[in-house]
Amino acid sequence: MEVSPFPFFGPLRADQVEGRHELIADLTARISARRVTALLGPRRYGKTSLLRRVAADLGAGGGTVLWFDLYEVQSMADLAIRLDDGMTDVGSEVGATLRKVAIGANLNLGLVRLNLTGPSAQRPDPSAVVHGQLQALIELSKRSPLVLIFDEFSSLASVDGAPGLLRTHLQNHYQEIGLVFAGSEPSMMLGMFTDQNQPFYSQAELIHIEPFSAMEVEEIVTTGFERTGRRSGDIPSRIFALTGGHPQRSMQMADMVWRLTEPGEDATTPTWERAVTSVRSEVAGGLERLFSSFRGPERAVLRIVASGGSIFGSAAVLLDLASGSAQHARDSLLDHGHLRKRDGGPLELTDPLMADWLRETLPA
Ligand SMILES: Nc1ncnc2c1ncn2[C@@H]1O[C@H](COP(=O)(O)OP(=O)(O)OP(=O)(O)O)[C@@H](O)[C@H]1O
Ligand SMILES: [Mg+2]
């Protein structure tokens, strides 16, 4: 079976990352210059994939890059385990150095989970473990150039004392250690770096990851088709018109059109129409479940925005949406990244396929 040139599930391998040339160069330069950076963007915009690529580039340049996935981290003990996972997932040479410094910090590298779930009398204090881990990382940075990537950093906001502990250790070493924080809960993530009461207030330069440009979609789709002996015709612009450059949705559409195009053939208008129908039916169930998880006013706001109306206009009257609840629902949807506002543009749904599904099934 031929492998699709348009993978659209989960983070990509570094070598699968397409486009984003300027952003990759910019991030690599910032990290190399030890400018602490936070990468913000909605779900499925390609943050993890992009950072994997940047990590691979930096690693190839001779640095040590450690990756910490903080997705849904729940507690200090959980954080210690995530840090341990990141610290054990390194090459043999750095691994040996890291084991040495870990012993100095009284740490059992690779055994943190075991230690923290052992008999309560022997269980170490999770904060002390994290303290030791951070000390070990700082020690490591004195021996070889070190970059730390924290993905899903916003999850840390809900662990009492964790951001403060991290900041206390790292702040005196910003010049020596490359630091990147990525996250997708827009308001949570922004708040961690812009709210004066937060430990990381003003501690990082914020970079926003944008949708693909029309040119990027054109380049990605055209080369993917060409590489596999097909021609994409006007499909790139059709994809962009539907997805607005949403990275994962653009790849998903490209994948479906590609599947429906035989090798040696051109994708045509009927191919596009079949692809839209197929993707719509594939995503409908998930979108329906997601949509029904929102509260009433949020559902009304999503419907109105998807149809291009004003949440304070006549559509709101029809849906019985009072202006106070409309405002509140809009803000909450923006906070959680379901809605977004492009520079100077109107409010829109982050997920173009949810907008499409709402227009088709529940126009407002
Ligand atoms: N540069 C890229 N080149 C090709 N595809 C991309 C790129 N960026 C994102 N994608 C598409 O988006 C999908 C999701 O990417 P990724 O998991 O990296 O996003 P994310 O922002 O980390 O998402 P989440 O917030 O869910 O963690 C990928 O499977 C791929 O289809
Ligand atoms: Mg991710």
Side-chain angles (χ1 to χ4, degrees), residues 202-249:
S202 232
Q203 301 284 303
E205 293 173 52
L206 308 184
I207 303 288
H208 294 267
I209 186 168
E210 299 293 335
F212 286 146
S213 65
M215 262 171 57
E216 272 173 316
V217 172
E218 172 85 37
E219 178 197 314
I220 294 169
V221 177
T222 313
T223 51
F225 269 72
E226 275 172 2
R227 231 181 22 237
T228 50
R230 295 162 172 83
R231 282 171 304 272
S232 56
D234 65 355
I235 297 300
S237 51
R238 287 178 186 265
I239 292 179
F240 188 78
L242 176 64
T243 66
H246 182 293
Q248 190 266 343
R249 292 310 199 186

Side-chain angles (χ1 to χ4, degrees), residues 35-64:
R35 288 157 68 182
V36 183
T37 303
L39 180 66
L40 286 75
R43 299 289 319 273
R44 296 189 279 177
Y45 261 44
K47 301 172 296 299
T48 303
S49 304
L50 185 78
L51 287 175
R52 281 188 176 175
R53 169 63 191 275
V54 170
D57 289 357
L58 289 166
T64 299

Side-chain angles (χ1 to χ4, degrees), residues 5-14 16-21 24 39-53 67 69 71 151-152 182-185 209-210 212 216 220 245-252:
F6 306 109
F8 63 92
F9 282 118
L12 305 181
R13 294 193 315 263
Q16 293 176 311
V17 172
E18 313 259 9
R20 303 281 196 209
H21 307 293
I24 292 169
L39 180 66
L40 286 75
R43 299 289 319 273
R44 296 189 279 177
Y45 261 44
K47 301 172 296 299
T48 303
S49 304
L50 185 78
L51 287 175
R52 281 188 176 175
R53 169 63 191 275
W67 185 287
D69 183 357
Y71 181 67
D151 198 8
E152 299 291 347
S184 49
E185 284 274 304
I209 186 168
E210 299 293 335
F212 286 146
E216 272 173 316
I220 294 169
H246 182 293
Q248 190 266 343
R249 292 310 199 186
S250 300
M251 293 290 277
Q252 185 170 16

Side-chain angles (χ1 to χ4, degrees), residues 239-320:
I239 292 179
F240 188 78
L242 176 64
T243 66
H246 182 293
Q248 190 266 343
R249 292 310 199 186
S250 300
M251 293 290 277
Q252 185 170 16
M253 288 310 306
D255 171 77
M256 186 56 85
V257 181
W258 181 87
R259 274 174 206 289
L260 296 172
T261 311
E262 292 297 323
E265 286 190 352
D266 289 30
T268 58
T269 300
T271 329
W272 170 252
E273 283 161 0
R274 282 171 59 211
V276 172
T277 308
S278 302
V279 170
R280 275 181 179 153
S281 74
E282 264 181 12
V283 299
L287 292 174
E288 198 169 342
R289 276 192 297 282
L290 176 63
F291 185 67
S292 52
S293 72
F294 291 109
R295 293 177 304 113
E298 291 174 343
R299 292 203 293 269
V301 166
L302 287 169
R303 282 177 66 180
I304 295 168
V305 174
S307 291
S310 157
I311 59 169
F312 305 114
S314 53
V317 176
L318 280 181
L319 296 182
D320 226 0

